[in-house]
Amino acid sequence: MTISGLTGTLLLAAVAFNFLSPELGGKPTKAERVAFVQTGHYRDGEFQNLQPTAVMTGGSTISTMWKFLTQTAPHADPPGPLPWQKLDSLTITQKTPDLVRVTWFGHSASLVEIAGQNLLLDPMLSIGMGPARWATPKRYNPELAIRPEQLPPIAAVLISHDHYDHLDYQTVQKIKDKVGLFCVPLGIGAHLRAWGVAPEHIREVSWGDSVRLPGLTLISTPSRHFSGRGLGNRNTTLWTSWVMQAPNKRLFYTGDGGYGTHFAAIGRQYGPFDLALVECGQYNADWAQIHMEPEQSVQAALDVRARVMLPVHWGAFTEARHPWNEPVRRALAAAAAHPDLLLTTPRLGQPVVLGNPLPQERWWEELSSKSNP
């Protein structure tokens, strides 16, 4: 297919989706858009990053898409399903008040148990992604450590931004009746309302806003990214990182985004952190300002003053032209120069419990030896 033919097909599909698919979500009201201006982060109908940021740094969106479709990196996908540990849903309901436990499901989806509360971070818990699943990356594993229906009541779902690999319509439909609050950046409430989530269960935040739960404070902090789920709505919703602050423990989640000075500012104001879940994967020179390379991910963990780094945003989908296991290999090499920072590398579904020995098995090496160098 020629580039023009491919482009035309994609545009037709996008237009049809834009009008027909419920996965697109909703649109902020005029009154909401007026209120967005008061944050100081919204201008000319779009949210803005703290520092100048180009979404594409290596050409146009169309040329970048063409390269992604036609140029595959060696070992972009693993040779088979990744090793995983099935999560016993009963153990989630059995916790001591001081337990801090983080369970990563692949990509950025994670369960955080802290201060007696269950939090879900960017719960993309579907096998396929988005409305056109024939055209989007497929999850490496045909099964997750736990199905959304098996999860216990969730005090809060924390969403970092509205891209399909972080805000999943299908997952929201399956969990919305067991979630106390959906804590989301400004504008994303419109998506949730369109999907049947009651407004009283939605809390929209700007950078610096906080949400209080019993024994726990959730704080929205800046990230360097962009947003949008369809034609004509880029940057109409905000993107964020999250601080999870209990009396004796502090956790941080970067969400998606490029490296920037905001990390050091977050570290000064809210750190140190006992553990940081840090984006580490799906990077490329063509979008260098909106996703971090692994060495930058390690530096971000150092900037926020994290004691433990859990690399996320890998281990589920191939969304960039690098080997599937390169993010964790490069992050480990970079962290080796910083003995005060520990990397934990759990299998999918393997809990990380603060105060216990950290999972540090290099499980990908055995899998990689089947086909990767």
Side-chain angles (χ1 to χ4, degrees), residues 115-340:
Q117 310 281 348
N118 295 323
L119 308 178
L120 268 179
L121 311 184
D122 282 350
M124 199 298 177
L125 299 176
S126 295
I127 303 302
M129 184 192 306
R133 301 193 173 200
W134 54 270
T136 53
K138 300 298 185 292
R139 187 179 287 272
Y140 300 151
N141 287 23
E143 186 176 358
L144 285 93
I146 192 169
R147 297 194 307 274
E149 300 91 331
Q150 296 174 307
L151 289 166
I154 302 298
V157 168
L158 309 187
I159 298 296
S160 65
H161 63 296
D162 71 357
H163 288 158
Y164 291 102
D165 54 338
H166 294 261
L167 178 63
D168 179 50
Y169 166 78
Q170 298 291 344
T171 301
V172 170
Q173 292 300 310
K174 294 173 181 176
I175 67 173
K176 63 184 180 182
D177 293 332
K178 65 175 70 177
V179 174
L181 282 178
F182 286 86
C183 301
V184 301
L186 291 173
I188 292 181
H191 298 325
L192 298 177
R193 293 192 300 269
W195 297 342
V197 178
E200 60 267 25
H201 293 291
I202 302 170
R203 190 71 57 84
E204 293 188 71
V205 294
S206 182
W207 299 331
D209 291 345
S210 61
V211 178
R212 295 189 181 276
L213 300 175
L216 185 63
T217 301
L218 310 172
I219 306 165
S220 168
T221 46
S223 63
R224 188 185 184 193
H225 202 51
F226 73 112
S227 66
R229 294 176 71 85
L231 295 175
N233 68 353
R234 175 170 285 188
N235 296 343
T236 56
T237 63
L238 187 60
W239 44 94
T240 194
S241 55
W242 285 100
V243 170
M244 293 156 273
Q245 193 175 71
N248 298 315
K249 297 292 181 183
R250 297 183 183 191
L251 275 59
F252 178 64
Y253 170 47
T254 64
D256 276 10
Y259 181 76
T261 57
H262 58 287
F263 289 120
I266 292 167
R268 287 192 298 268
Q269 185 169 3
Y270 300 108
F273 293 99
D274 297 281
L275 182 145
L277 300 97
V278 181
E279 180 215 84
C280 186
Q282 321 319 318
Y283 46 83
N284 190 275
D286 288 350
W287 51 84
Q289 294 183 2
I290 56 168
H291 285 294
M292 295 184 283
E293 297 211 356
E295 295 78 14
Q296 293 175 311
S297 299
V298 170
Q299 186 59 55
L302 294 168
D303 288 355
V304 300
R305 300 193 290 154
R307 299 185 180 96
V308 177
M309 172 180 164
L310 172 55
V312 299
H313 210 243
W314 74 288
F317 304 101
T318 295
E319 298 180 297
R321 299 188 304 277
H322 59 66
W324 73 274
N325 59 8
E326 183 182 274
V328 69
R329 291 190 283 112
R330 285 176 57 179
L332 278 167
H338 303 282
D340 292 336

Side-chain angles (χ1 to χ4, degrees), residues 14-27:
V15 169
F17 149 66
N18 212 48
F19 288 99
L20 299 175
S21 175
E23 300 221 18
L24 179 66
K27 296 181 179 180

Side-chain angles (χ1 to χ4, degrees), residues 45-61:
E46 294 188 2
F47 284 99
Q48 311 289 322
N49 282 292
L50 293 179
Q51 61 190 97
T53 300
V55 172
M56 290 295 153
T57 51
S60 68
T61 300

